[in-house]
Amino acid sequence: MQTPRNPRIALDVHAHLAPIDEAQLSSLPGVQWDRANRRLTLDGHTIGVSALFSPESLIAWMDEQGVAQAWVSIPPPMYRETLDPEASRAWCAYVNRGLDDIGYRFASRLSPLWHLPLEHPELALRIVQETRGEARYAAAAGGYDGTLSDTVYEPLWDALNLKSAFLFLHPGHCCDTRLGKFYLENLMGNPVETAVAASHLTFGGVATRFPNIRFCLAHGGGATAMLAGRYERGYRTSRPGVDTSLPSPRGIFSRFYVDCITHDAAALSLSASVFGESHVVFGSDWPFPMGLMNPHEQLADVDAPQLNRILRENVASWGAAPE
């Protein structure tokens, strides 16, 4: 039985699983599945977090932490952003079928966030057009050529907007070689990649022109909240390249959702002040150590009203399980 110290969490929007179908994997180039050691190698990179291959492990963790439902996406090592369009088509078909199968087998607890390969906008558009039912997707915030303000993405944004889709943006591959030491590709690179994506969606007018898309940014929005004041100053002083016919950056940021993974109560409050207290939702980043593996302990410094909004109230209309 849960105690008042461990309140119920209605929905986790940021959990990862790696679908495994041995027969299908054997036909895909660049992929090796080691059944004995439960390791998946993709293009020379080995995923050794075995919990990723076990929906049952995620369910057990959810039961332990009082999480009613989770929206599941593939982890960044599975994005494979360097694949050509045809290979990416086959890979996305595999992972999205796998996520569908997980959602079918655990229908009351897990739902897929279908992967969109933003490095191939036409393929991403095709996936959106072909999916049925709930329009929920996940994609890499960066790590590929181009930016999310590029006009090549307009048909995709239009399709997502027509579906009133949820799009979870998670950092992918960090391209800055200066961050190769000290785990900085993750510690610093991930928040920056997310902020770059949010910045292009903001200054490029994407979030304004397509208001029905529910963009959700990983890790509290990355570095975006810290930059909000500077962005607003640039807008107010008409800096070169800033389109002042759009709403101000602070106004546009209120259109985004963010998860609560900031590892600092003050940083979480800053994110809430920028994106809106009703736009911060629970995410765990399960099963990775940079996430909230012990959410009730790790969020203990968050004040009770804000915590209640994050754990339950802010997703009340998102199809989360009732109390």
Side-chain angles (χ1 to χ4, degrees):
M1 179 179 296
Q2 292 182 46
T3 69
R5 294 181 61 189
N6 292 328
R8 175 184 176 276
I9 300 173
L11 177 66
D12 182 351
V13 304
H14 184 174
H16 296 293
L17 284 172
I20 297 298
D21 183 312
E22 292 189 50
Q24 292 187 41
L25 283 175
S26 65
S27 67
L28 295 170
V31 180
Q32 295 85 39
W33 168 244
D34 181 349
R35 181 198 303 177
N37 296 302
R38 295 186 64 76
R39 291 179 180 272
L40 179 66
T41 300
L42 301 170
D43 311 313
H45 175 87
T46 297
I47 302 173
V49 182
S50 60
L52 283 166
F53 312 125
S54 171
E56 293 82 3
S57 295
L58 173 55
I59 294 288
W61 174 84
M62 291 167 63
D63 289 341
E64 179 183 298
Q65 300 298 331
V67 180
Q69 294 180 345
W71 290 354
V72 178
S73 55
I74 59 173
M78 297 187 80
Y79 292 168
R80 304 184 73 193
E81 295 164 285
T82 60
L83 294 179
D84 63 42
E86 187 58 27
S88 182
R89 182 198 61 77
W91 178 245
C92 289
Y94 168 79
V95 296
N96 288 335
R97 280 196 304 265
L99 291 172
D100 270 339
D101 179 64
I102 290 169
Y104 177 78
R105 288 190 289 132
F106 302 94
S108 66
R109 306 299 299 279
L110 306 178
S111 297
L113 294 179
W114 293 290
H115 182 66
L116 297 183
L118 295 187
E119 65 276 14
H120 301 302
E122 292 182 358
L123 175 57
L125 173 61
R126 192 183 319 161
I127 292 171
V128 171
Q129 292 171 334
E130 291 174 354
T131 51
R132 300 290 180 266
E134 296 289 348
R136 299 174 184 149
Y137 308 92
Y144 39 81
D145 292 336
T147 63
L148 299 185
S149 61
D150 293 344
T151 57
V152 69
Y153 288 104
E154 291 292 297
L156 175 63
W157 303 140
D158 188 55
L160 291 169
N161 194 65
L162 288 173
K163 289 185 174 231
S164 297
F166 176 92
L167 178 59
F168 184 63
L169 289 171
H170 190 287
H173 174 67
C174 177
C175 300
D176 191 333
T177 58
R178 296 173 301 170
L179 306 185
K181 295 182 178 180
F182 316 123
Y183 202 57
L184 288 178
E185 287 187 353
N186 184 294
L187 299 178
M188 180 183 179
N190 280 7
V192 170
E193 286 294 328
T194 304
V196 170
S199 302
H200 278 274
L201 294 173
T202 298
F203 287 112
V206 176
T208 301
R209 293 193 304 279
F210 304 99
N212 295 333
I213 304 175
R214 282 184 293 168
F215 291 105
C216 186
L217 308 174
H219 312 127
T224 314
M226 188 64 195
L227 294 168
R230 187 170 181 82
Y231 284 0
E232 193 73 8
R233 179 63 177 173
Y235 177 88
R236 298 296 176 188
T237 57
S238 302
R239 295 300 86 201
V242 175
D243 185 353
T244 56
S245 69
L246 294 170
S248 74
R250 290 296 292 260
I252 296 175
F253 286 157
S254 66
R255 300 168 187 248
F256 293 98
Y257 289 87
V258 299
D259 72 25
C260 64
I261 307 172
T262 63
H263 304 294
D264 183 275
L268 186 58
S269 293
L270 177 61
S271 285
S273 73
V274 169
F275 297 103
E277 292 187 350
S278 65
H279 279 214
V280 183
V281 298
F282 179 77
S284 68
D285 205 4
W286 188 91
F288 292 105
M290 286 301 296
L292 300 179
M293 297 302 93
N294 298 291
H296 302 290
E297 294 179 18
Q298 292 172 267
L299 296 173
D301 292 338
V302 180
D303 68 80
Q306 183 182 18
L307 186 61
N308 186 57
R309 287 190 292 269
I310 291 170
L311 300 188
R312 288 180 296 281
E313 290 183 3
N314 290 348
V315 296
S317 63
W318 288 20
E323 297 285 353

